[in-house]
Amino acid sequence: MSPRKKALPAPLSISLYAPGMTPLLRAGAGGLAASLRAILLGATPSASWPSPVSLGPGTATVSPEAIHFDWGGAAPEATLKPLFEASFRVKQGFIDLPGARRPNAPEPPPELAAALHDALKVTFLQHGKSTQGGTRKRITFEVDDQPVVVESQGYASFVHQGAWQNVLEALESGSTVLASWAYPGAAERHIGVRVTKVEYTAQEALCACFALVGCVSFKLPQLRGGAFVALAPTDLVCFARLRSGLTPGRLVDVAVAGASDAVLAAQLAMKLEAKGELGKVLGAAEAVALRQMPWNAQQKIRGAVVRQDTVSEDVLNAYEVAAAALKSKLRVRKPEGKGEAGYFIATSALRAFITENLAAARPWFAGFATATTAEGRFIHDYCGRDNLGALLWDERKGLIAMHPKLKESEQWLVQSVHLALRSRFRGIYEDTKESPPATRSNRLKGERERLRLSFAGAKTPEQVRAALADLWSRAGPNRELQEHWKDILPLLGPERWRDARDLSLVALASYQGRGGDTAELEDAEASSDASELS
């Protein structure tokens, strides 16, 4: 009697709304659809999307809410292997994901390819066992006409390329176990308790593998870590078409200021790609920041998670303004000894603060008086030699750009403080005209520091009112205050005194004079900026 032939697994269907589909897995389904589209257009550039995609003997078909695999009468391995080989590649030592870039578009310049590769290294592929081989790559490019050298560890292969075997295991036995490369930050809690492992069905395993393509990975320079954004699509066909536009196209865009910055940057890019119809394509978004903690030096773990549905048009518009005024900057790192110049991407602590408020649906200035960086430096204080402040002088234009996003009464308060500051600084400047420049500069800076401490130190409504009354009375007649007193008054009450305190500090930090006093203040702060960045 001949042995019974093993039955082939049934065709596989992945539903976007099946039980257990987390935002990360839904983003993975989007990444799978994007990879299938890249394979289709790579083989036949004129093909219409969506069309059945040939994978060895099998085919895959994408519909708005599901992906269907037909094995073509052969073992699933014959279909899965070419899918993974075409979706996860290594080019010139760097990870290449065809689903994450525009089909048949020119390859990114080496420095951008290296930065995107490094962003994956600090999110999905941070563990040493998830990559193999490779050599250290050395790249030279120019920043402001100055040659800059950057080195990045290239790979010969990475774990996703062979993960079709895990999917095969799940098809045969019902489930499989994937390590943290499939879900960064998630880990087995106890090695002796199997229930703490994360197990996947075949559908879930496929989505988890393709989360590398569906998610957008960034670097987090301020935390020396990374962040990834899982955008859960509502339409796989549209998401596959839009996904390539979410990949950062410039070197500075690979870095973000925080998890909230990452989730809003990805949603803004999606909105621009979808021509404003974000809600028709995106259901939810989740950003995860990964950083090294003192108790785990070997691997970066979750430091922050931001989850939200699609943000409103107003929030994205406000974010666009903040992001445009507070751009990340490419800085050349001075060579040490006979070494060569390198680079780093400087992100803005103020941008991180504003985007955190916007993502949490708070006023963009909320908590300005007390917010600090991870190192404990105040966001509202200009960076100086004492290293206690985090605000850079040129970031003042970011605060000014956000003024129109204040409510009308809030704008009147800020403008009344600006008017009073102008009067105070001009008075000091006139009083010290015959004094040495250092004396005049110290008087101006001293007055501003006194006001900053007065506002930031206010802990009650009475103290805020006293600080503002002191400034207004010393400054003399104030047209904005006289004409809009009734609008400003509610801000000074017991329910909104914190807003008044934050707005007073916003006004102080964003003040720009019109006379000689401005030059004195700017000269002093500009030198502080220079010392911070050198």
Side-chain angles (χ1 to χ4, degrees), residues 317-440:
N317 289 340
Y319 171 74
E320 192 170 8
V321 170
L326 299 167
K327 293 177 182 174
S328 299
K329 295 175 182 173
L330 210 60
R331 302 285 192 191
V332 176
R333 182 178 284 119
K334 293 178 181 175
E336 296 179 2
K338 295 183 179 179
E340 295 166 293
Y343 86 96
F344 67 96
I345 299 175
T347 57
S348 164
L350 176 61
R351 174 169 165 167
F353 162 76
I354 292 175
T355 53
E356 195 172 320
N357 276 330
L358 292 176
R362 295 191 294 259
W364 66 264
F365 59 86
F368 191 61
T370 54
T372 62
T373 64
E375 299 85 22
R377 296 193 289 168
F378 282 109
I379 303 294
H380 69 256
D381 190 10
Y382 279 107
C383 179
R385 291 186 180 83
D386 56 8
N387 214 27
L388 297 177
L391 187 64
L392 299 180
W393 183 249
D394 64 352
E395 291 179 337
R396 183 181 54 167
K397 64 185 178 184
L399 291 171
I400 296 170
M402 292 301 289
H403 279 187
K405 301 299 177 186
L406 295 172
K407 294 177 182 174
E408 196 170 339
S409 61
E410 296 164 350
Q411 291 188 35
W412 292 131
L413 176 62
V414 170
Q415 289 178 26
S416 71
V417 173
H418 277 170
L419 205 59
L421 290 173
R422 186 165 299 124
S423 176
R424 284 293 299 145
F425 290 139
R426 188 173 298 162
I428 294 172
Y429 184 79
E430 293 296 330
D431 290 346
T432 55
K433 253 187 173 177
E434 305 302 324
S435 305
T439 303
R440 187 166 58 237

Side-chain angles (χ1 to χ4, degrees), residues 458-467 492-498:
K459 300 292 190 294
T460 64
E462 291 77 15
Q463 290 176 343
V464 173
R465 287 197 291 269
L492 306 179
E495 293 181 355
R496 299 200 61 189
W497 67 273
R498 290 183 179 83

Side-chain angles (χ1 to χ4, degrees), residues 148-409:
V148 172
V149 176
V150 61
E151 291 190 356
S152 179
Q153 177 61 51
Y155 297 145
S157 64
F158 57 104
V159 66
H160 290 72
Q161 293 176 300
W164 58 269
Q165 297 178 65
N166 295 88
V167 181
L168 202 61
E169 179 187 340
L171 282 169
E172 292 173 350
S173 62
S175 68
T176 187
V177 175
L178 303 178
S180 61
W181 54 263
Y183 205 140
E188 183 180 0
R189 292 293 298 169
H190 197 294
I191 198 167
V193 184
R194 183 177 173 79
V195 74
T196 63
K197 286 184 178 180
V198 182
E199 296 188 347
Y200 300 82
T201 63
Q203 292 91 335
E204 291 168 351
L206 254 177
C207 292
C209 292
F210 281 84
L212 188 75
V213 182
C215 295
V216 187
S217 292
F218 298 98
K219 294 201 285 187
L220 269 179
Q222 288 189 339
L223 298 180
R224 297 183 180 180
F228 67 89
V229 184
L231 297 168
T234 55
D235 187 322
L236 290 168
V237 173
C238 287
F239 184 85
R241 193 167 49 237
L242 304 175
R243 169 61 187 91
S244 58
L246 308 184
T247 302
R250 301 180 307 162
L251 200 52
V252 291
D253 295 335
V254 181
V256 291
S260 298
D261 191 17
V263 79
L264 291 177
Q267 291 206 40
L268 179 61
M270 176 71 98
K271 175 194 162 189
L272 296 177
E273 285 294 309
K275 295 182 170 55
E277 297 186 343
L278 181 64
K280 293 184 179 179
V281 185
L282 187 66
E286 178 179 285
V288 177
L290 299 158
R291 58 183 299 192
Q292 202 173 72
M293 294 295 186
W295 58 86
N296 190 347
Q298 296 180 332
Q299 200 163 1
K300 296 174 178 61
I301 62 177
R302 291 184 174 213
V305 178
V306 177
R307 293 192 183 95
Q308 60 182 195
D309 296 332
T310 308
V311 297
S312 68
E313 194 80 8
D314 288 344
V315 170
L316 276 185
N317 289 340
Y319 171 74
E320 192 170 8
V321 170
L326 299 167
K327 293 177 182 174
S328 299
K329 295 175 182 173
L330 210 60
R331 302 285 192 191
V332 176
R333 182 178 284 119
K334 293 178 181 175
E336 296 179 2
K338 295 183 179 179
E340 295 166 293
Y343 86 96
F344 67 96
I345 299 175
T347 57
S348 164
L350 176 61
R351 174 169 165 167
F353 162 76
I354 292 175
T355 53
E356 195 172 320
N357 276 330
L358 292 176
R362 295 191 294 259
W364 66 264
F365 59 86
F368 191 61
T370 54
T372 62
T373 64
E375 299 85 22
R377 296 193 289 168
F378 282 109
I379 303 294
H380 69 256
D381 190 10
Y382 279 107
C383 179
R385 291 186 180 83
D386 56 8
N387 214 27
L388 297 177
L391 187 64
L392 299 180
W393 183 249
D394 64 352
E395 291 179 337
R396 183 181 54 167
K397 64 185 178 184
L399 291 171
I400 296 170
M402 292 301 289
H403 279 187
K405 301 299 177 186
L406 295 172
K407 294 177 182 174
E408 196 170 339
S409 61

